[in-house]
């Protein structure tokens, strides 16, 4: 392989180094190009821009491959636990038995939230979206744990900041929900596993305890694993860019939660259910909505379809579709919108518009249907995504700081007015 490419511009030739990843991905290093040629590159939405070198997640959108630290997502979803995967993503290797025990114990120990958080929560209107509440609470952690504001200087501080965030996010997420529905906030129970503890805090009340169904616990753990990381997506890039200014882990992750919220990213799981409900209410005509999605004068898009990088199939969607059938079958749930979803998928997969543009169901097309069957309310779906994505955000933030990456600061091509003189308001 040639280790450079040539750029010919205005009679000069510039050599651009080629960088190669461990899966033979090749990239042009243009970091010195401006100094040499005066040129910058432009790529709105960073569709073809590598912002970093990362050793965490590999995905091949053409082949539908997703691996965390080299391990195929299919194996991890089937065999491991969410906390094991979280450790793998954050620390680079699967934990041995002793490391796993210590990790689980530490995370269990730190699940309690400072009592003053209750005052903060009371300040939100009861109809506040739980994603807004969650991101505010995660930012607020910086006030309660100022010792972790600059955690990169000490390994112990890094560790405790990470453990606190992993441990407290399920408690905060359930509190955001309880606050919304006006029920008392429940404390975590440290003898329960991660997913069960979260489900109990969501669905128990002081009047009635709640023991999660093992089918539900297992499905939730799988969903969390499937969402755990996805390389440089919108929210993860946000976490890295905020963290690149040396903002704290909590501030960086809070920004990631906000980026995830939008319907083109993590908010798609809520948007999918709302779309399927609307189709059902309108008589269940999948073809009508397919036609709307294809009409360029209609802003409607088929939510849960298409992906920036997967142009063949989304491996997570395959696992989730099967899980949706399993879970609904085991729980005896007969959800009519699952049938509408399947009809939409079948029709889209043979429709030239979707085929030509390589638009396939993504991870969010079926995840909302499972969350619904598990009893999770629709506006908590994106919160569920955030719980799953947390190890990815942490791992990527840690990698970025450990590699001492420079502050993120893209350039632009200016298209506004040229210099002009100020005129007094009366003479304009
Ligand atoms: N329905 C109808 N048309 C679509 C859709 C869709 N869901 N997605 C893309 N297209 C069309 C788009 O109009 C464009 O057509 P044309 O070339 O004629 O202008 C073409 O396909 C390429 O689309 P794009 O918007 O340029 O692609 P992108 O890479 O910028 O956007 C996406 C990717 C995921 C934002 C987009 O496919 C979309 O909006 N999907 C629906 C929202 C969704 O499901 N998001 C969840 C993504 S997976 C979870 C996550 O990781 O966040």
């Amino acid at each position: 392989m040639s280790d450079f490419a040539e750029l010919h511009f205005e009679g000069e030739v510039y050599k651009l180094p080629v960088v190669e990843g461990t899966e033979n991905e090749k990239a042009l290093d243009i970091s010195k190009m401006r100094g040499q040629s005066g040129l910058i590159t432009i790529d709105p939405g960073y569709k073809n821009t590598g912002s970093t070198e990362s050793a965490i997640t590999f995905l091949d959108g053409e082949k539908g491959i997703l691996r965390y630290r080299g391990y195929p997502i299919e194996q991890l979803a089937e065999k491991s636990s969410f906390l094991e995967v979280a450790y793998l993503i954050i620390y680079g290797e699967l934990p041995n038995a002793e490391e796993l025990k210590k990790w689980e114990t530490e995370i269990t120990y730190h699940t309690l939230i400072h009592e003053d958080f209750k005052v903060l929560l009371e300040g939100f209107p009861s109809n506040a979206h739980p994603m807004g509440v969650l991101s505010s609470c995660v930012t607020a952690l910086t006030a309660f744990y100022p010792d972790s504001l600059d955690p990169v200087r000490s390994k112990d501080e890094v560790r405790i900041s990470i453990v606190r965030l992993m441990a407290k996010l399920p408690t905060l997420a359930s509190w955001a929900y309880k606050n919304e529905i006006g029920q008392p906030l429940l404390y975590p129970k440290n003898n329960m596993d991660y997913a069960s503890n979260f489900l109990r805090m969501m669905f128990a009340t002081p009047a009635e305890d709640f023991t999660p169904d093992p089918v539900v616990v297992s499905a939730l753990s799988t969903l969390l694993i499937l969402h755990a990381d996805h390389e440089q997506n919108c929210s993860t890039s946000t976490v890295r860019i905020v963290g690149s200014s040396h903002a704290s882990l909590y501030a960086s992750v809070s920004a990631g939660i906000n980026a995830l919220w939008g319907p083109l990213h993590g908010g798609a799981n809520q948007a999918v259910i709302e779309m399927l409900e609307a189709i059902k209410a309108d008589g269940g005509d999948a073809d009508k909505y397919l036609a709307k999605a294809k009409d360029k004068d209609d802003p409607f898009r088929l939510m849960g379809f298409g992906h920036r990088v997967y142009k063949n199939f989304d491996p997570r969607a395959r696992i989730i579709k099967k899980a949706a059938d399993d879970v609904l079958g085991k729980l005896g749930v007969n959800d009519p919108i699952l049938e509408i979803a399947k009809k939409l998928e079948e029709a889209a997969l043979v429709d030239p518009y979707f085929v030509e543009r390589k638009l396939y169901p993504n991870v969010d097309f079926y995840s909302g249907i499972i969350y619904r069957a598990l009893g999770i309310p629709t506006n908590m779906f994106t919160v569920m995504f955030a719980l799953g994505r947390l190890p990815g955000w942490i791992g990527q933030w840690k990698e970025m700081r450990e590699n001492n990456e420079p502050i993120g600061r893209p350039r632009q091509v200016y298209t506004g007015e040229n210099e002009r003189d100020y005129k007094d308001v009366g003479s304009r």
Side-chain angles (χ1 to χ4, degrees), residues 152-316:
V152 86
R153 295 214 178 122
S154 131
K155 276 203 178 337
D156 290 347
E157 282 183 10
V158 173
R159 175 84 178 194
I160 191 67
S161 303
I162 290 173
V163 164
R164 280 195 184 121
L165 195 48
M166 284 293 302
K168 293 181 198 308
L169 203 69
T171 314
L172 288 173
S174 72
W175 281 16
Y177 172 61
K178 287 292 194 193
N179 187 59
E180 187 196 358
I181 59 170
Q183 284 187 4
L185 310 175
L186 289 191
Y187 292 108
K189 269 200 173 166
N190 289 354
N191 59 350
M192 295 180 96
D193 66 81
Y194 200 77
S196 303
N197 196 11
F198 169 71
L199 289 165
R200 192 193 140 270
M201 286 188 284
M202 286 279 292
F203 299 123
T205 67
E208 202 169 348
D209 210 353
F210 174 86
T211 309
D213 184 327
V215 173
V216 173
V217 174
S218 151
L220 178 57
S221 303
T222 307
L223 285 167
L224 295 177
I225 291 171
L226 293 177
H227 284 93
D229 192 49
H230 213 234
E231 49 118 302
Q232 307 313 316
N233 55 82
C234 176
S235 57
T236 302
S237 301
T238 301
V239 169
R240 283 186 88 123
I241 208 159
V242 172
S244 76
S245 73
H246 295 194
S248 79
L249 173 64
Y250 303 143
S252 307
V253 166
S254 172
I257 294 173
N258 285 322
L260 185 75
W261 193 355
L264 297 190
H265 190 14
N269 54 16
Q270 174 171 345
V272 168
I273 294 294
E274 286 163 356
M275 173 188 79
L276 294 173
E277 286 285 9
I279 298 176
K280 183 172 150 253
D282 193 22
D285 184 353
D287 291 337
K288 177 175 165 188
Y289 283 83
L290 223 52
K292 270 167 76 64
K294 293 191 286 183
D295 181 355
K296 291 287 168 205
D297 295 325
D298 189 328
F300 176 79
R301 277 193 165 195
L302 205 55
M303 299 314 288
F305 257 75
H307 200 276
R308 172 61 60 78
V309 282
Y310 291 122
K311 300 298 176 195
N312 183 340
F313 67 92
D314 180 340
R316 303 166 301 171

Side-chain angles (χ1 to χ4, degrees), residues 67-127:
R67 297 181 202 135
Y68 301 153
R69 304 279 188 187
Y71 295 102
I73 189 66
E74 292 80 4
Q75 290 181 24
L76 293 171
E78 191 191 333
K79 296 181 181 159
S80 66
S81 71
F82 176 60
L83 286 187
E84 201 182 357
V85 168
Y87 187 98
L88 170 71
I89 287 174
I90 296 169
Y91 295 107
E93 293 296 340
L94 283 168
N96 62 29
E98 194 187 323
E99 287 164 338
L100 182 60
K101 182 91 199 104
K102 183 166 179 256
W103 175 238
E104 287 173 343
T105 309
E106 278 180 325
I107 288 178
T108 306
Y109 181 76
H110 286 279
T111 48
L112 274 179
I113 305 287
H114 196 290
E115 286 292 295
D116 286 354
F117 260 90
K118 291 182 174 170
V119 182
L120 186 73
L121 280 165
E122 275 166 20
F124 286 99
S126 60
N127 60 353

Side-chain angles (χ1 to χ4, degrees), residues 323-333:
D325 275 332
D326 279 1
V327 169
L328 269 65
K330 280 184 193 156
L331 296 177
V333 174

